[in-house]
Amino acid sequence: MNPRDVEPRLLRGFVAVAEELHFTRAAARLYVAQQALSRDVRRLEQALAANLFVRTTRAVELTSDGHRLLPLARRVLAAHEELAGAFGAGTAAGAAPRPLLVDLNTDGPGTARTVLERARELAPDCELMARFESGLTHAAAEVAAGRLDVAFGYADGLDPVLRAPLAQRPVRYEPLAVLLPEGHALAARESVPLDALAGETVYAGAGNPRTLEWTGLARELFSGRGILMAPPAPVAMGKEEFRRVMVKTGNPVLATVGFLDMPGCVKLPLTDPVPLSPLSMVWRKGFAHPGLDALHAAAAALAAERGWLAPPPGSWLPAPLTHGPGGG
């Protein structure tokens, strides 16, 4: 086989193994048998007359030729996806596209879940699979690496280097809220003015490397208002673990109005001014998939129906980011 005739499938398999450094995980990610993936990698190596991986019983590592090929393969695949998007779904006639992996940040209600459900209605033949990565900084890196296809969050708060390979679409200006233990002095209110949080220590993901964009937004919101940033707490995975850690520390938690309801806690909207988090949808530049098209259509329809992109007068928004999240 001439290198000019290399099939995109072979490059796709190579990139998956290069990013996972594990044939079993790469095969699962591509929904193929491990033996088939190994065979494709060998065919690619033969076509290029190069060894791309060093394989041992304990590890898989890229060779110098593998490192040289990786950025080239990514560019070829991005161009192939762009071509497929321009002239069709990118699959053989009559074949269904592969599942689209969509990170919703949390396994519960919220804006991203609403967009996903509407997209499923618009494209019932597509499989849109939800994932829950908890934090856009982490999820965006997974999208850039090809382990996720789409994620939602405060994209403008990402480090510019992380944001560079991604495209984004504004979805909603999400009103912020505070999550309080039921016995908290502010829990009996219907809403919480920002000034009422002066002197409070509020948790906003400090110390969690997955949520740097959220902590940066909170730091900007708290600045000059006497609101203290809670110190790092154990990273809790799942609703029950999050509730347990929250009750144990006793700190209010910065959240959105669509955040999970927690037993033993009260979620109240923040006011005076109403602080907003700009929620965006992100995906790899050049990526095309009919499920992504459905998500675009769903986000546009919902924003129009519900006024998601019309911030109320006098509301607070973070300043455009010109440095890393939380820096400066």
Side-chain angles (χ1 to χ4, degrees):
M1 183 189 300
N2 189 301
R4 295 179 184 275
D5 298 325
V6 168
E7 301 170 42
R9 187 189 79 252
L10 303 186
L11 294 176
R12 196 171 292 112
F14 161 73
V15 170
V17 176
E19 292 173 346
E20 299 288 347
L21 293 179
H22 196 284
F23 274 80
T24 301
R25 289 198 299 267
R29 168 173 149 186
L30 296 172
Y31 299 93
V32 300
Q34 182 179 337
Q35 295 87 342
L37 178 59
S38 297
R39 185 167 59 249
D40 281 350
V41 169
R42 286 195 297 271
R43 286 187 62 198
L44 181 61
E45 289 178 322
Q46 291 167 2
L48 301 178
N51 292 322
L52 302 175
F53 297 102
V54 177
R55 308 164 178 84
T56 70
T57 56
R58 302 183 62 181
V60 175
E61 296 180 357
L62 281 165
T63 64
S64 58
D65 282 333
H67 281 291
R68 189 157 58 97
L69 175 61
L70 185 56
L72 299 174
R74 284 173 171 155
R75 290 205 296 271
V76 170
L77 291 173
H80 191 262
E81 288 173 342
E82 187 173 1
L83 175 66
F87 291 94
T91 57
R98 68 164 177 81
L100 189 76
L101 303 182
V102 184
D103 175 60
L104 303 184
N105 192 272
T106 183
D107 187 6
T111 299
R113 169 69 70 178
T114 303
V115 173
L116 177 68
E117 295 299 343
R118 177 67 66 89
R120 284 172 171 167
E121 294 173 4
L122 295 174
D125 294 332
C126 284
E127 183 58 74
L128 281 70
M129 296 291 295
R131 295 290 187 270
F132 315 105
E133 291 294 337
S134 184
L136 186 60
T137 294
H138 177 75
E142 295 290 283
V143 171
R147 290 185 285 269
L148 278 172
D149 296 318
V150 180
F152 290 84
Y154 175 39
D156 291 339
L158 294 174
D159 187 286
V161 174
L162 181 56
R163 196 169 66 239
L166 304 177
Q168 70 182 78
R169 178 197 184 96
V171 174
R172 183 185 183 186
Y173 292 112
E174 285 198 297
L176 299 185
V178 64
L179 203 60
L180 301 162
E182 285 182 342
H184 194 280
L186 298 173
R189 297 175 177 241
E190 292 186 359
S191 61
V192 177
L194 281 170
D195 288 348
L197 289 177
E200 294 282 347
T201 300
V202 180
Y203 180 70
N208 185 349
R210 291 171 169 252
T211 60
L212 297 178
E213 79 293 339
W214 182 252
T215 304
L217 180 147
R219 186 171 287 116
E220 186 177 345
L221 177 64
F222 296 172
S223 178
R225 291 188 166 90
I227 306 171
L228 306 177
M229 182 75 70
V235 177
M237 305 302 288
K239 179 176 179 178
E240 178 52 35
E241 285 301 292
F242 185 89
R243 186 202 65 79
R244 184 183 64 80
V245 171
M246 179 192 165
V247 171
K248 188 173 183 179
T249 61
N251 290 321
V253 176
L254 184 68
T256 64
V257 292
F259 191 72
L260 296 167
D261 291 323
M262 294 282 180
C265 303
V266 176
K267 181 176 62 183
L268 299 175
L270 291 169
T271 60
D272 303 325
V274 173
L276 304 174
S277 171
L279 180 81
S280 292
M281 181 173 77
V282 301
W283 65 96
R284 291 184 303 284
K285 289 178 179 176
F287 177 66
H289 190 287
L292 178 60
D293 295 340
L295 288 169
H296 279 296
L302 287 163
E305 293 168 12
R306 305 187 185 189
W308 280 356
L309 292 175
S315 53
W316 177 92
L317 282 166
L321 192 73
T322 57
H323 44 68

